[in-house]
Amino acid sequence: MTVGNGKMMKEILTFHGYEEGATGSPRLILKTAYLSYVLQS
């Protein structure tokens, strides 16, 4: 994951209410993004 993609994912998660990814490490951001996708599917 590049720096730009990480920032974008962080903003998207924050916008949708996932606070876990707002201040976390890149791994936590990816994990939160994956879990949010799984929960929406």
Side-chain angles (χ1 to χ4, degrees), residues 24-41:
S25 66
R27 180 179 176 179
L28 182 60
I29 292 169
L30 285 174
K31 185 177 179 181
T32 305
Y34 175 77
L35 289 174
S36 70
Y37 175 76
V38 169
L39 293 175
Q40 291 177 1
S41 296

Side-chain angles (χ1 to χ4, degrees), residues 13-25:
L13 289 172
T14 303
F15 178 78
H16 288 286
Y18 292 95
E19 298 297 327
E20 299 87 5
T23 59
S25 66

